[in-house]
PDB file of all heavy atoms in Angstrom:
ATOM      1  N   GLY A 153      43.368  28.817  67.009  1.00  0.00           N
ATOM      2  CA  GLY A 153      43.269  27.691  67.916  1.00  0.00           C
ATOM      3  C   GLY A 153      43.203  26.333  67.259  1.00  0.00           C
ATOM      4  O   GLY A 153      42.845  25.342  67.914  1.00  0.00           O
ATOM      5  N   GLY A 154      43.555  26.253  65.969  1.00  0.00           N
ATOM      6  CA  GLY A 154      43.546  24.973  65.267  1.00  0.00           C
ATOM      7  C   GLY A 154      42.143  24.461  65.008  1.00  0.00           C
ATOM      8  O   GLY A 154      41.158  25.206  65.083  1.00  0.00           O
ATOM      9  N   PHE A 155      42.058  23.179  64.673  1.00  0.00           N
ATOM     10  CA  PHE A 155      40.758  22.567  64.442  1.00  0.00           C
ATOM     11  C   PHE A 155      40.030  22.396  65.780  1.00  0.00           C
ATOM     12  O   PHE A 155      40.625  21.900  66.741  1.00  0.00           O
ATOM     13  CB  PHE A 155      40.911  21.185  63.784  1.00  0.00           C
ATOM     14  CG  PHE A 155      41.288  21.221  62.342  1.00  0.00           C
ATOM     15  CD1 PHE A 155      42.611  21.088  61.959  1.00  0.00           C
ATOM     16  CD2 PHE A 155      40.321  21.384  61.353  1.00  0.00           C
ATOM     17  CE1 PHE A 155      42.970  21.110  60.618  1.00  0.00           C
ATOM     18  CE2 PHE A 155      40.672  21.418  60.014  1.00  0.00           C
ATOM     19  CZ  PHE A 155      41.991  21.282  59.643  1.00  0.00           C
ATOM     20  N   PRO A 156      38.768  22.764  65.854  1.00  0.00           N
ATOM     21  CA  PRO A 156      38.025  22.496  67.086  1.00  0.00           C
ATOM     22  C   PRO A 156      37.868  20.994  67.276  1.00  0.00           C
ATOM     23  O   PRO A 156      37.736  20.239  66.314  1.00  0.00           O
ATOM     24  CB  PRO A 156      36.669  23.173  66.838  1.00  0.00           C
ATOM     25  CG  PRO A 156      36.546  23.249  65.355  1.00  0.00           C
ATOM     26  CD  PRO A 156      37.939  23.397  64.818  1.00  0.00           C
ATOM     27  N   ASP A 157      37.886  20.564  68.517  1.00  0.00           N
ATOM     28  CA  ASP A 157      37.848  19.142  68.831  1.00  0.00           C
ATOM     29  C   ASP A 157      36.401  18.636  68.780  1.00  0.00           C
ATOM     30  O   ASP A 157      35.759  18.394  69.811  1.00  0.00           O
ATOM     31  CB  ASP A 157      38.461  18.887  70.203  1.00  0.00           C
ATOM     32  CG  ASP A 157      38.629  17.404  70.490  1.00  0.00           C
ATOM     33  OD1 ASP A 157      38.564  16.609  69.527  1.00  0.00           O
ATOM     34  OD2 ASP A 157      38.818  17.046  71.666  1.00  0.00           O
ATOM     35  N   ILE A 158      35.901  18.485  67.553  1.00  0.00           N
ATOM     36  CA  ILE A 158      34.551  17.989  67.336  1.00  0.00           C
ATOM     37  C   ILE A 158      34.624  16.843  66.330  1.00  0.00           C
ATOM     38  O   ILE A 158      35.534  16.785  65.515  1.00  0.00           O
ATOM     39  CB  ILE A 158      33.599  19.100  66.830  1.00  0.00           C
ATOM     40  CG1 ILE A 158      34.178  19.779  65.574  1.00  0.00           C
ATOM     41  CG2 ILE A 158      33.356  20.134  67.928  1.00  0.00           C
ATOM     42  CD1 ILE A 158      33.276  20.861  64.986  1.00  0.00           C
ATOM     43  N   PRO A 159      33.663  15.904  66.377  1.00  0.00           N
ATOM     44  CA  PRO A 159      33.765  14.704  65.550  1.00  0.00           C
ATOM     45  C   PRO A 159      33.296  14.864  64.113  1.00  0.00           C
ATOM     46  O   PRO A 159      33.437  13.928  63.318  1.00  0.00           O
ATOM     47  CB  PRO A 159      32.883  13.698  66.302  1.00  0.00           C
ATOM     48  CG  PRO A 159      31.862  14.543  66.983  1.00  0.00           C
ATOM     49  CD  PRO A 159      32.563  15.811  67.357  1.00  0.00           C
ATOM     50  N   LEU A 160      32.759  15.997  63.762  1.00  0.00           N
ATOM     51  CA  LEU A 160      32.287  16.240  62.392  1.00  0.00           C
ATOM     52  C   LEU A 160      32.241  17.737  62.164  1.00  0.00           C
ATOM     53  O   LEU A 160      32.055  18.510  63.102  1.00  0.00           O
ATOM     54  CB  LEU A 160      30.891  15.622  62.192  1.00  0.00           C
ATOM     55  CG  LEU A 160      30.381  15.515  60.753  1.00  0.00           C
ATOM     56  CD1 LEU A 160      31.172  14.466  59.983  1.00  0.00           C
ATOM     57  CD2 LEU A 160      28.891  15.143  60.733  1.00  0.00           C
ATOM     58  N   MET A 161      32.410  18.159  60.916  1.00  0.00           N
ATOM     59  CA  MET A 161      32.356  19.569  60.536  1.00  0.00           C
ATOM     60  C   MET A 161      33.529  20.382  61.079  1.00  0.00           C
ATOM     61  O   MET A 161      33.464  21.612  61.138  1.00  0.00           O
ATOM     62  CB  MET A 161      31.030  20.221  60.973  1.00  0.00           C
ATOM     63  CG  MET A 161      29.792  19.533  60.465  1.00  0.00           C
ATOM     64  SD  MET A 161      29.571  19.729  58.674  1.00  0.00           S
ATOM     65  CE  MET A 161      28.064  18.795  58.398  1.00  0.00           C
ATOM     66  N   GLU A 162      34.618  19.707  61.444  1.00  0.00           N
ATOM     67  CA  GLU A 162      35.778  20.446  61.931  1.00  0.00           C
ATOM     68  C   GLU A 162      36.357  21.355  60.860  1.00  0.00           C
ATOM     69  O   GLU A 162      36.886  22.435  61.153  1.00  0.00           O
ATOM     70  CB  GLU A 162      36.847  19.478  62.455  1.00  0.00           C
ATOM     71  CG  GLU A 162      37.649  18.734  61.395  1.00  0.00           C
ATOM     72  CD  GLU A 162      36.868  17.644  60.674  1.00  0.00           C
ATOM     73  OE1 GLU A 162      35.881  17.129  61.240  1.00  0.00           O
ATOM     74  OE2 GLU A 162      37.260  17.301  59.542  1.00  0.00           O
ATOM     75  N   ASP A 163      36.236  20.957  59.583  1.00  0.00           N
ATOM     76  CA  ASP A 163      36.735  21.780  58.493  1.00  0.00           C
ATOM     77  C   ASP A 163      35.904  23.043  58.321  1.00  0.00           C
ATOM     78  O   ASP A 163      36.440  24.131  58.091  1.00  0.00           O
ATOM     79  CB  ASP A 163      36.779  20.969  57.191  1.00  0.00           C
ATOM     80  CG  ASP A 163      35.500  20.170  56.939  1.00  0.00           C
ATOM     81  OD1 ASP A 163      34.545  20.252  57.744  1.00  0.00           O
ATOM     82  OD2 ASP A 163      35.442  19.451  55.924  1.00  0.00           O
ATOM     83  N   ILE A 164      34.586  22.894  58.454  1.00  0.00           N
ATOM     84  CA  ILE A 164      33.697  24.052  58.355  1.00  0.00           C
ATOM     85  C   ILE A 164      33.981  25.028  59.502  1.00  0.00           C
ATOM     86  O   ILE A 164      34.067  26.249  59.304  1.00  0.00           O
ATOM     87  CB  ILE A 164      32.225  23.603  58.393  1.00  0.00           C
ATOM     88  CG1 ILE A 164      31.946  22.545  57.311  1.00  0.00           C
ATOM     89  CG2 ILE A 164      31.297  24.799  58.253  1.00  0.00           C
ATOM     90  CD1 ILE A 164      32.198  23.003  55.912  1.00  0.00           C
ATOM     91  N   ALA A 165      34.114  24.478  60.707  1.00  0.00           N
ATOM     92  CA  ALA A 165      34.352  25.330  61.873  1.00  0.00           C
ATOM     93  C   ALA A 165      35.686  26.069  61.758  1.00  0.00           C
ATOM     94  O   ALA A 165      35.782  27.258  62.086  1.00  0.00           O
ATOM     95  CB  ALA A 165      34.312  24.482  63.139  1.00  0.00           C
ATOM     96  N   LEU A 166      36.735  25.371  61.286  1.00  0.00           N
ATOM     97  CA  LEU A 166      38.024  26.036  61.097  1.00  0.00           C
ATOM     98  C   LEU A 166      37.913  27.145  60.058  1.00  0.00           C
ATOM     99  O   LEU A 166      38.443  28.249  60.250  1.00  0.00           O
ATOM    100  CB  LEU A 166      39.086  25.027  60.665  1.00  0.00           C
ATOM    101  CG  LEU A 166      40.462  25.638  60.375  1.00  0.00           C
ATOM    102  CD1 LEU A 166      41.150  26.076  61.664  1.00  0.00           C
ATOM    103  CD2 LEU A 166      41.347  24.660  59.614  1.00  0.00           C
ATOM    104  N   SER A 167      37.226  26.867  58.961  1.00  0.00           N
ATOM    105  CA  SER A 167      37.074  27.878  57.909  1.00  0.00           C
ATOM    106  C   SER A 167      36.392  29.131  58.440  1.00  0.00           C
ATOM    107  O   SER A 167      36.777  30.256  58.098  1.00  0.00           O
ATOM    108  CB  SER A 167      36.263  27.302  56.746  1.00  0.00           C
ATOM    109  OG  SER A 167      36.943  26.268  56.089  1.00  0.00           O
ATOM    110  N   LYS A 168      35.374  28.951  59.271  1.00  0.00           N
ATOM    111  CA  LYS A 168      34.667  30.115  59.819  1.00  0.00           C
ATOM    112  C   LYS A 168      35.600  30.955  60.692  1.00  0.00           C
ATOM    113  O   LYS A 168      35.529  32.190  60.686  1.00  0.00           O
ATOM    114  CB  LYS A 168      33.457  29.653  60.614  1.00  0.00           C
ATOM    115  CG  LYS A 168      32.320  29.116  59.741  1.00  0.00           C
ATOM    116  CD  LYS A 168      31.121  28.705  60.576  1.00  0.00           C
ATOM    117  CE  LYS A 168      29.972  28.253  59.687  1.00  0.00           C
ATOM    118  NZ  LYS A 168      28.785  27.823  60.472  1.00  0.00           N
ATOM    119  N   ARG A 169      36.479  30.276  61.429  1.00  0.00           N
ATOM    120  CA  ARG A 169      37.440  31.013  62.249  1.00  0.00           C
ATOM    121  C   ARG A 169      38.443  31.762  61.375  1.00  0.00           C
ATOM    122  O   ARG A 169      38.746  32.929  61.620  1.00  0.00           O
ATOM    123  CB  ARG A 169      38.178  30.046  63.172  1.00  0.00           C
ATOM    124  CG  ARG A 169      37.309  29.389  64.233  1.00  0.00           C
ATOM    125  CD  ARG A 169      38.118  28.399  65.066  1.00  0.00           C
ATOM    126  NE  ARG A 169      37.314  27.794  66.122  1.00  0.00           N
ATOM    127  CZ  ARG A 169      37.789  26.929  67.023  1.00  0.00           C
ATOM    128  NH1 ARG A 169      39.080  26.582  66.978  1.00  0.00           N
ATOM    129  NH2 ARG A 169      37.009  26.429  67.952  1.00  0.00           N
ATOM    130  N   LEU A 170      38.951  31.075  60.359  1.00  0.00           N
ATOM    131  CA  LEU A 170      39.946  31.698  59.488  1.00  0.00           C
ATOM    132  C   LEU A 170      39.349  32.818  58.653  1.00  0.00           C
ATOM    133  O   LEU A 170      40.040  33.793  58.317  1.00  0.00           O
ATOM    134  CB  LEU A 170      40.581  30.640  58.587  1.00  0.00           C
ATOM    135  CG  LEU A 170      41.492  29.625  59.285  1.00  0.00           C
ATOM    136  CD1 LEU A 170      41.857  28.497  58.326  1.00  0.00           C
ATOM    137  CD2 LEU A 170      42.756  30.309  59.796  1.00  0.00           C
ATOM    138  N   ARG A 171      38.088  32.692  58.305  1.00  0.00           N
ATOM    139  CA  ARG A 171      37.425  33.715  57.485  1.00  0.00           C
ATOM    140  C   ARG A 171      37.371  35.057  58.202  1.00  0.00           C
ATOM    141  O   ARG A 171      37.273  36.109  57.551  1.00  0.00           O
ATOM    142  CB  ARG A 171      36.021  33.229  57.126  1.00  0.00           C
ATOM    143  CG  ARG A 171      35.306  34.062  56.079  1.00  0.00           C
ATOM    144  CD  ARG A 171      33.947  33.477  55.752  1.00  0.00           C
ATOM    145  NE  ARG A 171      33.106  33.362  56.931  1.00  0.00           N
ATOM    146  CZ  ARG A 171      31.864  32.883  56.924  1.00  0.00           C
ATOM    147  NH1 ARG A 171      31.333  32.446  55.801  1.00  0.00           N
ATOM    148  NH2 ARG A 171      31.155  32.810  58.036  1.00  0.00           N
ATOM    149  N   ARG A 172      37.422  35.028  59.534  1.00  0.00           N
ATOM    150  CA  ARG A 172      37.442  36.291  60.278  1.00  0.00           C
ATOM    151  C   ARG A 172      38.755  37.034  60.081  1.00  0.00           C
ATOM    152  O   ARG A 172      38.831  38.249  60.272  1.00  0.00           O
ATOM    153  CB  ARG A 172      37.229  36.017  61.770  1.00  0.00           C
ATOM    154  CG  ARG A 172      35.904  35.344  62.099  1.00  0.00           C
ATOM    155  CD  ARG A 172      35.676  35.294  63.604  1.00  0.00           C
ATOM    156  NE  ARG A 172      34.519  34.484  63.935  1.00  0.00           N
ATOM    157  CZ  ARG A 172      34.580  33.309  64.542  1.00  0.00           C
ATOM    158  NH1 ARG A 172      35.760  32.818  64.901  1.00  0.00           N
ATOM    159  NH2 ARG A 172      33.486  32.633  64.811  1.00  0.00           N
ATOM    160  N   ILE A 173      39.811  36.273  59.705  1.00  0.00           N
ATOM    161  CA  ILE A 173      41.108  36.891  59.443  1.00  0.00           C
ATOM    162  C   ILE A 173      41.201  37.360  57.997  1.00  0.00           C
ATOM    163  O   ILE A 173      41.640  38.479  57.721  1.00  0.00           O
ATOM    164  CB  ILE A 173      42.243  35.889  59.740  1.00  0.00           C
ATOM    165  CG1 ILE A 173      42.202  35.456  61.213  1.00  0.00           C
ATOM    166  CG2 ILE A 173      43.597  36.487  59.393  1.00  0.00           C
ATOM    167  CD1 ILE A 173      43.216  34.376  61.544  1.00  0.00           C
ATOM    168  N   ALA A 174      40.801  36.499  57.073  1.00  0.00           N
ATOM    169  CA  ALA A 174      40.910  36.821  55.643  1.00  0.00           C
ATOM    170  C   ALA A 174      40.052  35.858  54.842  1.00  0.00           C
ATOM    171  O   ALA A 174      39.725  34.757  55.311  1.00  0.00           O
ATOM    172  CB  ALA A 174      42.368  36.719  55.186  1.00  0.00           C
ATOM    173  N   ARG A 175      39.714  36.260  53.644  1.00  0.00           N
ATOM    174  CA  ARG A 175      39.054  35.354  52.716  1.00  0.00           C
ATOM    175  C   ARG A 175      40.067  34.330  52.207  1.00  0.00           C
ATOM    176  O   ARG A 175      41.260  34.605  52.120  1.00  0.00           O
ATOM    177  CB  ARG A 175      38.503  36.134  51.517  1.00  0.00           C
ATOM    178  CG  ARG A 175      37.422  37.136  51.860  1.00  0.00           C
ATOM    179  CD  ARG A 175      36.075  36.502  52.043  1.00  0.00           C
ATOM    180  NE  ARG A 175      35.570  35.882  50.825  1.00  0.00           N
ATOM    181  CZ  ARG A 175      34.374  35.295  50.741  1.00  0.00           C
ATOM    182  NH1 ARG A 175      33.575  35.267  51.782  1.00  0.00           N
ATOM    183  NH2 ARG A 175      33.985  34.751  49.604  1.00  0.00           N
ATOM    184  N   PRO A 176      39.614  33.124  51.880  1.00  0.00           N
ATOM    185  CA  PRO A 176      40.555  32.105  51.415  1.00  0.00           C
ATOM    186  C   PRO A 176      41.012  32.344  49.980  1.00  0.00           C
ATOM    187  O   PRO A 176      40.279  32.905  49.163  1.00  0.00           O
ATOM    188  CB  PRO A 176      39.737  30.814  51.503  1.00  0.00           C
ATOM    189  CG  PRO A 176      38.317  31.269  51.275  1.00  0.00           C
ATOM    190  CD  PRO A 176      38.230  32.610  51.957  1.00  0.00           C
ATOM    191  N   ALA A 177      42.219  31.899  49.687  1.00  0.00           N
ATOM    192  CA  ALA A 177      42.673  31.813  48.300  1.00  0.00           C
ATOM    193  C   ALA A 177      42.062  30.547  47.710  1.00  0.00           C
ATOM    194  O   ALA A 177      42.233  29.455  48.250  1.00  0.00           O
ATOM    195  CB  ALA A 177      44.192  31.735  48.254  1.00  0.00           C
ATOM    196  N   CYS A 178      41.322  30.684  46.621  1.00  0.00           N
ATOM    197  CA  CYS A 178      40.642  29.553  45.982  1.00  0.00           C
ATOM    198  C   CYS A 178      41.426  29.180  44.728  1.00  0.00           C
ATOM    199  O   CYS A 178      41.332  29.872  43.706  1.00  0.00           O
ATOM    200  CB  CYS A 178      39.206  29.920  45.651  1.00  0.00           C
ATOM    201  SG  CYS A 178      38.209  30.299  47.116  1.00  0.00           S
ATOM    202  N   LEU A 179      42.196  28.116  44.808  1.00  0.00           N
ATOM    203  CA  LEU A 179      43.118  27.749  43.741  1.00  0.00           C
ATOM    204  C   LEU A 179      42.452  26.810  42.750  1.00  0.00           C
ATOM    205  O   LEU A 179      41.680  25.925  43.123  1.00  0.00           O
ATOM    206  CB  LEU A 179      44.374  27.105  44.329  1.00  0.00           C
ATOM    207  CG  LEU A 179      45.101  27.931  45.395  1.00  0.00           C
ATOM    208  CD1 LEU A 179      46.424  27.272  45.752  1.00  0.00           C
ATOM    209  CD2 LEU A 179      45.322  29.366  44.944  1.00  0.00           C
ATOM    210  N   ARG A 180      42.803  26.978  41.478  1.00  0.00           N
ATOM    211  CA  ARG A 180      42.139  26.249  40.392  1.00  0.00           C
ATOM    212  C   ARG A 180      42.607  24.811  40.179  1.00  0.00           C
ATOM    213  O   ARG A 180      41.824  23.989  39.709  1.00  0.00           O
ATOM    214  CB  ARG A 180      42.313  27.028  39.085  1.00  0.00           C
ATOM    215  CG  ARG A 180      41.591  28.372  39.082  1.00  0.00           C
ATOM    216  CD  ARG A 180      40.105  28.214  39.012  1.00  0.00           C
ATOM    217  NE  ARG A 180      39.414  29.492  38.879  1.00  0.00           N
ATOM    218  CZ  ARG A 180      38.086  29.623  38.834  1.00  0.00           C
ATOM    219  NH1 ARG A 180      37.328  28.545  38.886  1.00  0.00           N
ATOM    220  NH2 ARG A 180      37.539  30.808  38.732  1.00  0.00           N
ATOM    221  N   PRO A 181      43.882  24.473  40.461  1.00  0.00           N
ATOM    222  CA  PRO A 181      44.269  23.070  40.239  1.00  0.00           C
ATOM    223  C   PRO A 181      43.320  22.113  40.951  1.00  0.00           C
ATOM    224  O   PRO A 181      42.936  22.339  42.099  1.00  0.00           O
ATOM    225  CB  PRO A 181      45.682  23.012  40.840  1.00  0.00           C
ATOM    226  CG  PRO A 181      46.201  24.397  40.706  1.00  0.00           C
ATOM    227  CD  PRO A 181      45.020  25.290  40.941  1.00  0.00           C
ATOM    228  N   LEU A 182      42.933  21.055  40.263  1.00  0.00           N
ATOM    229  CA  LEU A 182      41.905  20.153  40.780  1.00  0.00           C
ATOM    230  C   LEU A 182      42.509  19.022  41.603  1.00  0.00           C
ATOM    231  O   LEU A 182      43.287  18.216  41.090  1.00  0.00           O
ATOM    232  CB  LEU A 182      41.108  19.547  39.620  1.00  0.00           C
ATOM    233  CG  LEU A 182      40.198  20.487  38.831  1.00  0.00           C
ATOM    234  CD1 LEU A 182      39.624  19.757  37.618  1.00  0.00           C
ATOM    235  CD2 LEU A 182      39.072  21.021  39.710  1.00  0.00           C
ATOM    236  N   LEU A 183      42.154  18.963  42.879  1.00  0.00           N
ATOM    237  CA  LEU A 183      42.428  17.767  43.657  1.00  0.00           C
ATOM    238  C   LEU A 183      41.387  16.721  43.290  1.00  0.00           C
ATOM    239  O   LEU A 183      40.202  17.029  43.181  1.00  0.00           O
ATOM    240  CB  LEU A 183      42.348  18.065  45.155  1.00  0.00           C
ATOM    241  CG  LEU A 183      43.306  19.096  45.744  1.00  0.00           C
ATOM    242  CD1 LEU A 183      43.120  19.156  47.257  1.00  0.00           C
ATOM    243  CD2 LEU A 183      44.755  18.782  45.398  1.00  0.00           C
ATOM    244  N   LEU A 184      41.813  15.503  43.105  1.00  0.00           N
ATOM    245  CA  LEU A 184      40.898  14.400  42.818  1.00  0.00           C
ATOM    246  C   LEU A 184      40.660  13.650  44.117  1.00  0.00           C
ATOM    247  O   LEU A 184      41.601  13.147  44.739  1.00  0.00           O
ATOM    248  CB  LEU A 184      41.488  13.463  41.770  1.00  0.00           C
ATOM    249  CG  LEU A 184      40.629  12.255  41.388  1.00  0.00           C
ATOM    250  CD1 LEU A 184      39.392  12.701  40.616  1.00  0.00           C
ATOM    251  CD2 LEU A 184      41.439  11.258  40.563  1.00  0.00           C
ATOM    252  N   THR A 185      39.404  13.578  44.545  1.00  0.00           N
ATOM    253  CA  THR A 185      39.096  12.884  45.787  1.00  0.00           C
ATOM    254  C   THR A 185      38.138  11.735  45.524  1.00  0.00           C
ATOM    255  O   THR A 185      37.334  11.777  44.588  1.00  0.00           O
ATOM    256  CB  THR A 185      38.506  13.856  46.828  1.00  0.00           C
ATOM    257  OG1 THR A 185      38.511  13.251  48.123  1.00  0.00           O
ATOM    258  CG2 THR A 185      37.097  14.264  46.475  1.00  0.00           C
ATOM    259  N   SER A 186      38.237  10.710  46.320  1.00  0.00           N
ATOM    260  CA  SER A 186      37.431   9.510  46.120  1.00  0.00           C
ATOM    261  C   SER A 186      35.949   9.822  46.309  1.00  0.00           C
ATOM    262  O   SER A 186      35.560  10.534  47.240  1.00  0.00           O
ATOM    263  CB  SER A 186      37.856   8.425  47.103  1.00  0.00           C
ATOM    264  OG  SER A 186      36.979   7.328  47.035  1.00  0.00           O
ATOM    265  N   SER A 187      35.137   9.262  45.435  1.00  0.00           N
ATOM    266  CA  SER A 187      33.684   9.419  45.548  1.00  0.00           C
ATOM    267  C   SER A 187      33.043   8.247  46.276  1.00  0.00           C
ATOM    268  O   SER A 187      31.832   8.092  46.247  1.00  0.00           O
ATOM    269  CB  SER A 187      33.067   9.554  44.157  1.00  0.00           C
ATOM    270  OG  SER A 187      33.380   8.432  43.359  1.00  0.00           O
TER     271      SER A 187
END
Side-chain angles (χ1 to χ4, degrees):
F155 286 96
D157 188 16
I158 54 178
L160 193 70
M161 304 290 179
E162 75 287 336
D163 46 2
I164 306 300
L166 177 72
S167 294
K168 288 182 177 179
R169 294 178 178 182
L170 291 170
R171 190 178 57 180
R172 299 188 189 111
I173 300 175
R175 296 280 296 182
C178 297
L179 306 188
R180 294 289 186 182
L182 291 173
L183 299 184
L184 179 69
T185 194
S186 173
S187 58

